[in-house]
Amino acid sequence: MTIPAGESPAGARSDRHPPDVEILLRTGPFHRALRAAIERSGLTLEGLRQRLAQRGIRVSMASLSYWQQGRSRPERADSLRAVRAIESILGLHTHALAGLLGPPRPRGRWTNRQSTERRYDGILEPAWALAQAIDPVLGPSDHKLRVFCQEDIVSVGADRAIHSVRTRVVLRAMEDDPDRHLAVYCAEPGSAAADITPSARDNCRLGKVRRHHEAAVIAAELLFDRRLRVGETHLLEYEFTVDSPATSLDYRRGFRYPADTYVVSVRFAAGAAPVRCFGFSRHGPHGSSHTDEELTVTSGRWVHRIAREVPPGVLGVGWEWE
């Protein structure tokens, strides 16, 4: 029997040593991880297509075949919905496959300011200022890295303003050759980008820094001492200090790509503890914000929250002073 390319059942592998599925799900690329996960499941592509159809999701055999060959990738909303269903059908963790997809490839003959800004809608505001600050320094390393784990430590002063955010992050290379990470900070409305100072604390050095001339937005390159190979991780630590009197009501972290683990902690100065703290989130670029949980401020004036398998969107901690 002739088996068309990309449609072999689980047992018909040409590799003498089949790839480790879990490694591919951590390192990518997407098409190889998808193919290996399908082979491990024992499903044929036709069987997978039928399982999707049972869930009301129609994907052609050609599309499934192209996805696992790397000839095309899912980008439209219906295709991304199919990827999430495939994760469930194959018994994978949420975002195991979707997290390997990079940003959508540009389409059309040109792009305009509106389409550029849309990439940052639902992440942090103002989206137009983010686009103008980030895009000029957004290099090829961006889509090659994912957050393995990240911790933000936020310090709120007696004046009820955020004075510093210290970040420790472990990044994982999804492709070869990433050599830098782009850190972004948005201060409170009424502040200025000149009020924000970035610093490279450990295992990185400061590269290009771009401040927006109107909004309190800054983007800073953090350079590694070498290029990473696919699957490697890199630990670094950096800090933003803020010299602004603007009162803060929350701290939020925007995620353009899925992340494995995120921890955020906020410490309030003596005599400046809020009356209420809560976690909030917004999933996806156009999702609605909702309160996740009430949070307790400890006797040390700390509050924290932890999230696993973080989807693109926003996670944060909010508080009320009165």
Side-chain angles (χ1 to χ4, degrees):
M1 171 173 96
T2 301
I3 301 176
E7 298 182 20
S8 57
R13 293 175 177 156
S14 59
D15 309 67
R16 173 173 291 184
H17 300 290
D20 187 300
V21 178
E22 297 305 323
I23 292 177
L24 287 173
L25 289 172
R26 291 196 301 269
T27 65
F30 169 82
H31 70 280
R32 290 188 60 200
L34 173 63
R35 183 169 65 246
I38 293 173
E39 290 178 353
R40 184 178 67 176
S41 74
L43 283 174
T44 62
L45 282 193
E46 173 61 23
L48 180 58
R49 186 195 67 78
Q50 292 177 2
R51 295 283 188 91
L52 289 168
Q54 292 169 2
R55 298 179 179 221
I57 301 173
R58 299 192 176 278
V59 181
S60 69
M61 286 285 292
S63 292
L64 290 174
S65 180
Y66 287 170
W67 290 353
Q68 72 167 9
Q69 293 178 60
R71 294 174 61 183
S72 67
R73 69 178 186 182
E75 291 184 342
R76 299 179 184 276
D78 289 347
S79 297
L80 295 177
R81 178 171 171 245
V83 172
R84 292 192 293 270
I86 289 172
E87 291 170 344
S88 174
I89 292 169
L90 300 183
L92 307 177
H93 292 301
T94 305
H95 306 299
L97 291 171
L100 299 174
L101 292 169
R105 287 175 283 204
R107 298 178 181 273
R109 296 173 60 189
W110 57 78
T111 59
N112 56 28
R113 168 177 165 168
Q114 182 179 3
S115 63
T116 300
E117 291 170 9
R118 191 177 299 121
R119 289 169 29 200
Y120 301 96
D121 285 350
I123 303 301
L124 295 174
E125 296 296 336
W128 60 272
L130 277 169
Q132 292 178 4
I134 293 174
D135 281 354
V137 289
L138 194 65
S141 290
D142 176 66
H143 72 276
K144 297 180 179 180
L145 294 168
R146 292 291 185 276
V147 172
F148 181 76
C149 61
Q150 179 166 319
E151 180 181 12
D152 288 337
I153 302 174
V154 184
S155 176
V156 178
D159 57 359
R160 299 183 173 182
I162 291 176
H163 283 253
S164 69
V165 178
R166 191 158 186 153
T167 298
R168 173 172 287 187
V169 58
V170 177
L171 300 164
R172 182 174 57 218
M174 311 304 290
E175 300 179 28
D176 284 332
D177 294 332
D179 64 352
R180 66 198 63 199
H181 174 61
L182 189 65
V184 179
Y185 190 82
C186 300
E188 301 292 343
S191 304
D195 298 329
I196 311 168
T197 302
S199 56
R201 292 295 184 184
D202 202 5
N203 217 20
C204 60
R205 64 187 189 278
L206 207 58
K208 297 176 184 175
V209 176
R210 184 175 178 88
R211 290 178 169 86
H212 197 272
H213 62 284
E214 295 180 22
V217 177
I218 184 173
E221 283 186 325
L222 299 168
L223 308 178
F224 311 158
D225 58 1
R226 64 185 180 89
R227 296 180 181 274
L228 304 181
R229 296 189 301 272
V230 62
E232 284 190 310
T233 57
H234 187 74
L235 168 68
L236 60 91
E237 189 170 329
Y238 63 92
E239 185 174 17
F240 286 107
T241 55
V242 187
D243 182 15
S244 170
T247 298
S248 302
L249 297 176
D250 61 47
Y251 174 77
R252 56 190 65 203
R253 166 66 69 173
F255 293 90
R256 292 181 61 214
Y257 304 112
D260 285 5
T261 304
Y262 177 58
V263 180
V264 55
S265 58
V266 183
R267 187 173 190 183
F268 300 95
V275 297
R276 174 178 177 250
C277 284
F278 55 92
F280 64 88
S281 62
R282 181 168 64 243
H283 294 168
H286 301 289
S288 57
S289 295
H290 60 275
T291 300
D292 297 322
E293 56 187 328
E294 295 291 320
L295 301 174
T296 301
V297 180
T298 67
S299 58
R301 303 185 304 281
W302 284 99
V303 65
H304 79 282
R305 67 177 302 198
I306 301 172
R308 295 291 310 276
E309 297 182 356
V310 181
V314 175
L315 278 176
V317 173
W319 52 85
E320 297 174 358
W321 292 114
E322 306 295 343

